[in-house]
Amino acid sequence: MTDTTADTATAAGHPKAGSLYQVSERTRRRHAAEQRFRMMGLAAVTFSILALLGLMTSILSNGLSSFHQTYVTMEVFLDPAKLDKKGNRNPEDIAKITTFTIQPLIQAALAETMEARGIAVEGVNAKKAVELISKEAPAQLRHFVLDNPEVIGQSVTFDLLASGRIDGYYKGRVSMESAALDRNISPEQLVLADQLKAAGILESRFNWSFFTAPDASDTRPEAAGLGVAILGSAYMMLIVLVLALPIGVAASIYLEEFAPQNRWTDMIEVNIANLAAVPSIVFGILGLAIFINFVGLPQSAPIVGGLVLTLMTLPTIIIATRAALKAVPPSINDAALGIGASKMQAIFHHVLPLAAPGILTGTIIGLAQALGETAPLLLIGMVAFVREYPGAPPEGFFDPASALPVQVYNWTQRGDPAFFERASGAIIVLLVFLVIMNAVAILLRRRFERRW
């Protein structure tokens, strides 16, 4: 452009072109805004990671100790004069023995063990010494004798749970100072525990019973386990999988492929989207009103919990399945129809297999969400204290049971700090199950994924 042309363009109102190497003020503001947005995004991600690390640190620091338990190992003489007074080994007569009958046997065995090892603490007699052993121990011996009546009259080595205070002493919850103010333990008993540990009678090891034992009373936190809760959660997830997956997939196929587009289908779609956002406690109220009060199903049973969680999971599965069906290219369906396949054949033989990764992912995510729900299970009575294991399916679906999130809730409501440790351990177990389920969803998606 010549000088004359440039002067003419300026006179006509057009701005004079600047240099490409000169950054304008507007560009500087745009770059600054972009940099601020990046910094805010980085700050948000950093804050989220720090919050997650803080949460996991708190859970792990409080819960990892629940996977180790203190045990007292010693020989107990199963005195026939106490356990089988008639001497006939009749199971019905032996079944009449109580834990009060067995407690003196444990006390005598501990006294003999201490005397043989030369262990003694001033101010701690045999009665005080046996308080180091859990109140669950007599019940443990009773079950062993009932299952093995032929051992009566013999000396048998048992691994007995130490009391919650002794276990807490070796996990840092109990100290000499706190024991001086605690009516359930004394500093002298802690000194005795140290001597028993030095002699190899008392030791800490991995707590397998945490995964297999049922819940325990408020006075026996060391005996509390997740056995019934894990089994109850497994039963409920089985019910949800068997009911929610076929119903959700069938509803999705109908709405996506067969249903006419009218006001009724529009209303159904809106309601499905709304149900996915309904608070879970509302489904608990629905289950209480229909399945328990109207149908008459038993409270605290996996069948009721499974039905409630099925209703809660169905919208998630339907939405995920419809999205998976829409992701399949229409040309797949058109090609199947073009070679003479029926509508049903095109969907079930071609479209549905290609949509399987998305369907499986949505299903497992829905199951993971249902596994962690607590509020609806509380309303249907699964908060009850359950000691007995449910039977095998299908009868076991109607037996009383608990669930992992409900067990966590129960333990946090109890006063003994040992139950708080158990609750944190149960949260770790629940998180492991959730991570496994999400990992399975990712693997299945990659395994069956197809690219076009």
Side-chain angles (χ1 to χ4, degrees):
M1 182 182 292
T2 62
D3 294 342
T4 305
T5 306
D7 293 341
T8 305
T10 303
H14 297 290
K16 187 176 181 180
S19 173
L20 294 176
Y21 299 99
Q22 182 178 0
V23 180
S24 65
E25 183 63 26
R26 181 179 179 184
T27 303
R28 289 194 187 95
R29 289 196 302 269
R30 188 169 67 247
H31 290 174
E34 181 180 352
Q35 187 66 23
R36 287 195 300 271
F37 180 79
R38 289 182 178 180
M39 294 301 296
M40 287 188 292
L42 180 61
V45 173
T46 303
F47 177 78
S48 301
I49 294 175
L50 291 177
L52 178 61
L53 289 177
L55 176 63
M56 295 304 299
T57 301
S58 174
I59 294 174
L60 293 176
S61 61
N62 292 318
L64 284 178
S65 57
S66 63
F67 299 105
H68 285 80
Q69 190 68 37
T70 306
Y71 292 88
V72 177
T73 303
M74 62 181 184
E75 284 190 357
V76 180
F77 176 62
L78 304 177
D79 190 355
K82 296 285 188 181
L83 304 177
D84 188 17
K85 295 181 180 180
K86 296 182 180 181
N88 55 11
R89 298 297 190 268
N90 186 351
E92 294 182 359
D93 294 334
I94 298 175
K96 295 178 182 179
I97 62 174
T98 64
T99 55
F100 295 102
T101 304
I102 297 178
Q103 180 70 13
L105 303 180
I106 299 175
Q107 181 175 322
L110 181 59
E112 291 177 4
T113 303
M114 292 171 56
E115 183 179 356
R117 301 293 185 91
I119 299 173
V121 175
E122 186 178 355
V124 181
N125 54 24
K127 186 176 181 180
K128 286 290 185 181
V130 80
E131 291 180 0
L132 275 62
I133 300 177
S134 170
K135 296 179 180 178
E136 183 74 12
Q140 178 184 345
L141 264 68
R142 182 178 182 273
H143 289 308
F144 180 81
V145 171
L146 293 178
D147 294 336
N148 307 277
E150 69 279 0
V151 301
I152 296 178
Q154 303 176 16
S155 293
V156 181
T157 301
F158 290 95
D159 291 330
L160 304 177
L161 288 168
S163 68
R165 291 296 193 274
I166 297 299
D167 184 60
Y169 173 57
Y170 293 107
K171 293 177 178 178
R173 292 195 309 269
V174 178
S175 63
M176 291 291 181
E177 293 75 14
S178 65
L181 304 174
D182 194 339
R183 65 179 183 178
N184 296 317
I185 198 68
S186 66
E188 292 77 15
Q189 289 173 312
L190 297 182
V191 173
L192 176 59
D194 287 334
Q195 294 187 13
L196 292 174
K197 187 172 184 179
I201 300 171
L202 187 148
E203 63 176 350
S204 296
R205 64 177 74 116
F206 191 80
N207 185 18
W208 289 107
S209 62
F210 182 64
F211 303 97
T212 59
D215 194 8
S217 67
D218 293 351
T219 60
R220 293 174 292 168
E222 66 280 354
L226 294 172
V228 175
I230 291 176
L231 198 57
S233 291
Y235 281 2
M236 287 190 295
M237 293 303 102
L238 180 61
I239 293 172
V240 174
L241 180 63
V242 170
L243 294 180
L245 180 59
I247 295 175
V249 172
S252 302
I253 292 175
Y254 175 76
L255 291 174
E256 193 65 30
E257 303 291 345
F258 295 99
Q261 295 297 320
N262 52 40
R263 65 178 65 183
W264 295 109
T265 55
D266 291 342
M267 184 177 66
I268 292 174
E269 292 179 2
V270 170
N271 285 328
I272 290 174
N274 289 335
L275 285 174
V278 168
S280 60
I281 195 170
V282 176
F283 291 97
I285 296 174
L286 179 65
L288 177 64
I290 296 179
F291 301 127
I292 295 178
N293 294 338
F294 181 73
V295 180
L297 293 175
Q299 289 188 355
S300 190
I303 184 65
V304 181
L307 291 173
V308 171
L309 295 179
T310 297
L311 295 177
M312 191 189 72
T313 309
L314 268 175
T316 302
I317 294 179
I318 292 175
I319 292 173
T321 302
R322 295 192 66 185
L325 293 173
K326 289 179 180 179
V328 178
S331 57
I332 302 293
N333 191 25
D334 296 339
L337 296 175
I339 61 175
S342 65
K343 184 71 171 176
M344 287 284 277
Q345 289 175 328
I347 293 172
F348 284 96
H349 294 176
H350 301 279
V351 177
L352 192 59
L354 296 176
I359 296 173
L360 292 175
T361 302
T363 300
I364 295 177
I365 291 175
L367 289 175
Q369 178 187 2
L371 179 63
E373 285 296 338
T374 307
L377 303 182
L378 296 179
L379 286 178
I380 63 172
M382 295 200 79
V383 72
F385 178 83
V386 181
R387 283 277 301 177
E388 300 296 329
Y389 292 92
E395 292 82 4
F397 292 148
F398 298 87
D399 293 336
S402 184
L404 281 172
V406 176
Q407 195 67 72
V408 172
Y409 173 80
N410 280 339
W411 284 344
T412 57
Q413 303 303 304
R414 301 180 186 177
D416 196 311
F419 280 111
F420 183 78
E421 173 201 69
R422 285 292 199 270
S424 299
I427 291 174
I428 295 175
V429 174
L430 182 60
L431 289 177
V432 169
F433 277 115
L434 294 177
V435 169
I436 291 174
M437 294 178 72
N438 283 279
V440 170
I442 295 173
L443 291 176
L444 289 175
R445 187 174 187 88
R446 290 185 176 180
R447 172 66 178 81
F448 296 104
E449 190 174 13
R450 297 289 187 272
R451 298 182 182 275
W452 296 282

